[in-house]
Amino acid sequence: MEIIKYCKALADETRVRLVNVLLAYELNVGEIVQVMDMGQSRISRHLKILAESGLVDVRRDGLWAFYRASEDGPGRDFLDGVASLLDGEELRRDRNRADKVIRERTAATRRFFDDIAPEWGRMTAEILGGLDLSREIRQRLPRCGTAADIGCGTGDLLEIMAEHADMVIGVDNSPRMLELAGERFPDDAHMSLRIGETTHLPLRDQEADCTVMSLVLHHLARPEDALREAARVLRPDGRLLIAEFDQHEVEVMRSDYGDRRLGIPREKMRTWLEQEGFSLVKSTDFAVNKGLVVVLYEAVKL
């Protein structure tokens, strides 16, 4: 019986604490060790039991593994049933530690992009090689009133988007990136640069007619949250263009380019788009350097 399996898996204080944290966050082993303040071997042993029971999912990403509470199936049904019982000072303290780890991770990512902002154009060109991604995006941009570049970086796409839209909004979480973007468009009343996270966009509901996310989602722990925000800020029938690496195993992208994910599988992207209310119109593949593949997705908000 499934219920006996699940109850046995949670018949340990440490595993209850792990599930409590993983219901809220996806974390790698190092981050979990930091939250729980326990040795890695002990944490790994308990995670193995939870994963084998079906209460925790493991996402393999190159040499790394990320853990989160099961998202669907009978394991998720069981967790939803007991979630209200996950209360108490120690469990709240664990969640607060996990939140701090996430905030520290976000701050570290912001510092990384602040530091490499002046070199970002060169670094991106090294990866893309002969692919003129800006041209490919330009060819797919509709004429519209308001266009938004989410994760605009130093603003390479903003000028192109201004050719197709009356108002262009650029959003990034790196102050240095936005500073460099602002230097390219001084006193431009048709350009609005806003600091913010892709998962909490500084845009009103249905403010944009077209949104672009170019090589952004692989930097996020939960890309689906960014797609949910893109759906929120787009009007019905609005166009979403996403350029993203297909899944790969080039670990140097993590260390040198700040990638959290080694690309995103096509099927996972299609699933996320459908879940967030988009219809995928077309996807196009482009082979680039290091054996990577960039996929350009064209979707419409239903």
Side-chain angles (χ1 to χ4, degrees):
M1 298 174 65
E2 295 289 286
I3 191 170
I4 295 176
K5 177 179 67 174
Y6 298 144
C7 288
K8 286 182 176 180
L10 284 185
D12 180 273
E13 180 180 345
T14 297
R15 294 197 288 275
V16 170
R17 292 174 61 195
L18 284 169
V19 164
N20 170 61
V21 168
L22 297 177
L23 275 167
Y25 303 101
E26 180 187 71
L27 302 168
N28 61 43
V29 174
E31 291 170 331
I32 296 171
V33 166
Q34 187 177 349
V35 171
M36 302 290 287
D37 193 24
M38 297 179 184
Q40 181 170 329
S41 60
R42 181 180 176 185
I43 291 295
S44 297
R45 183 173 70 255
H46 287 296
L47 287 172
K48 184 174 185 291
I49 293 171
L50 290 170
E52 289 177 346
S53 74
L55 294 179
V56 165
D57 291 335
V58 186
R59 179 174 64 84
R60 304 289 177 183
D61 194 51
L63 300 178
W64 291 36
F66 295 86
Y67 295 84
R68 68 191 305 173
S70 180
E71 295 191 283
D72 49 39
R76 183 67 197 203
D77 292 340
F78 179 83
L79 290 176
D80 288 341
V82 302
S84 62
L85 302 177
L86 296 175
D87 196 16
E89 183 178 348
E90 185 172 29
L91 295 180
R92 288 194 295 271
R93 188 163 55 243
D94 287 342
R95 289 194 293 268
N96 289 338
R97 288 199 196 100
D99 183 68
K100 181 180 179 181
V101 166
I102 296 298
R103 285 188 279 107
E104 289 174 350
R105 178 209 297 163
T106 301
T109 300
R110 185 180 298 114
R111 288 193 299 271
F112 172 85
F113 283 104
D114 281 345
D115 291 343
I116 56 89
E119 301 297 320
W120 187 242
R122 176 190 59 77
M123 294 171 65
T124 302
E126 287 179 354
I127 296 298
L128 297 182
L131 172 62
D132 188 341
L133 186 55
S134 296
R135 183 187 65 187
E136 297 295 338
I137 292 174
R138 174 193 276 120
Q139 293 174 352
R140 293 162 172 81
L141 282 170
R143 179 66 198 174
C144 64
T146 300
D149 184 6
I150 308 305
C152 66
T154 57
D156 289 344
L157 284 174
L158 295 177
E159 186 173 359
I160 291 171
M161 296 173 72
E163 299 171 1
H164 297 260
D166 299 325
M167 170 64 70
V168 176
I169 301 169
V171 179
D172 206 280
N173 71 349
S174 165
R176 181 56 176 153
M177 288 281 193
L178 282 181
E179 180 183 346
L180 293 176
E183 291 174 0
R184 303 169 70 163
F185 310 100
D187 304 319
D188 189 338
H190 302 285
M191 188 74 61
S192 175
L193 300 180
R194 307 177 185 180
I195 191 161
E197 299 293 338
T198 56
T199 52
H200 296 87
L201 293 173
L203 280 83
R204 300 187 305 276
D205 292 355
Q206 301 185 17
E207 184 173 355
D209 303 293
C210 175
T211 297
V212 176
M213 306 178 83
S214 180
L215 302 181
V216 169
L217 295 178
H218 59 269
H219 293 292
L220 307 179
R222 289 181 55 84
E224 61 268 42
D225 290 347
L227 294 177
R228 187 173 301 117
E229 273 292 272
R232 179 185 66 79
V233 305
L234 273 173
R235 64 166 177 78
D237 298 322
R239 179 64 61 92
L240 172 64
L241 301 178
I242 300 173
E244 190 50 71
F245 292 120
D246 190 18
Q247 188 174 34
H248 61 86
E249 296 185 359
V250 184
E251 285 287 340
V252 71
M253 298 299 293
R254 208 191 304 273
S255 58
D256 292 359
Y257 290 82
D259 294 6
R260 176 157 177 92
R261 293 170 173 260
L262 298 185
I264 296 176
R266 290 176 176 84
E267 285 305 315
K268 178 63 73 174
M269 183 72 80
R270 292 189 183 101
T271 298
W272 285 338
L273 287 169
E274 181 179 337
Q275 289 174 343
E276 301 309 330
F278 290 99
S279 173
L280 179 61
V281 176
K282 185 179 180 181
S283 63
T284 308
D285 294 0
F286 302 93
V288 295
N289 290 341
K290 297 185 182 294
L292 302 173
V293 173
V294 172
V295 186
L296 188 51
Y297 301 89
E298 304 170 57
V300 173
K301 179 182 174 182
L302 299 176

